[in-house]
Amino acid sequence: MGRGGGGAADSGGAGSASFGAGGASGTFLEKWIDPGADITGGAYVGAATGGAGGTGGTGTGGTGADATIIIQGVVYTAKGGPGGQGMATGAGLAVTNVAWLAADTSGPSDFLSSTPGETGDRWANGVGAPGAGGSNPFSGGAGLNAFPSVGPNALGFGGGGGGAVAWNTGNRDGGAGSRTLIIVAEYR
């Protein structure tokens, strides 16, 4: 379950502010397999790091990598979550697009979930809030930092990175999503 990075925040002078959106969590996939014999596995791929946070002031966070495993010859893929959108500087009302859920997952599953990141919102001159990262059962997603600041990185496994906050001067980068987790439990 890959996870998206948070959106960047751009600032261009006194009285301006911007608030990046949070990245979505990666897809959580759960599958119960009853093969009637020992489970045979194959290759697996999981990312050691999450989607990068957005950079350059208005950059959108990176999409998290997919996590893939082969069991009994069937390929299961938990899709990475998209990154949060960055916001350009300004003083008026603005809302970023939400980092929607991760794309469809291949292979049959018994349970799927993904949580979008929150929007970055500017309500007035210097007043607003960045978006928190999306959560899943193994990560609460990145929270919020005081501003101005870079977006916080997600902790745990598969959570989305937090959006950045820029106020008056200096661009801020979004937070990174957290890494992949693959668990295989065999019961006899």
Side-chain angles (χ1 to χ4, degrees):
M1 59 183 143
R3 48 280 136 244
D10 176 42
S11 189
S16 64
S18 60
F19 304 88
S25 74
T27 301
F28 170 76
L29 178 146
E30 183 175 283
K31 176 65 181 164
W32 179 265
I33 300 169
D34 186 3
D38 287 345
I39 291 178
T40 59
Y44 66 90
V45 176
T49 59
T55 61
T58 58
T60 295
T63 297
D66 296 346
T68 301
I69 189 166
I70 301 170
I71 300 174
Q72 301 295 93
V74 178
V75 177
Y76 298 91
T77 301
K79 302 298 284 183
Q85 183 182 19
M87 180 184 282
T89 189
L93 178 65
V95 178
T96 62
N97 290 328
V98 68
W100 285 108
L101 306 178
D104 289 340
T105 299
S106 65
S109 63
D110 295 330
F111 181 75
L112 286 174
S113 71
S114 178
T115 306
E118 295 178 346
T119 60
D121 304 314
R122 182 176 58 233
W123 303 300
N125 184 14
V127 180
S135 62
N136 70 42
F138 295 99
S139 173
L144 306 175
N145 279 345
F147 66 100
S149 69
V150 298
N153 295 332
L155 302 175
F157 300 96
V165 179
W167 189 50
N168 291 334
T169 60
N171 296 338
R172 302 288 191 250
D173 295 343
S178 58
R179 62 189 180 185
T180 298
L181 173 66
I182 297 174
I183 298 174
V184 177
E186 186 173 351
Y187 300 96
R188 296 188 178 260

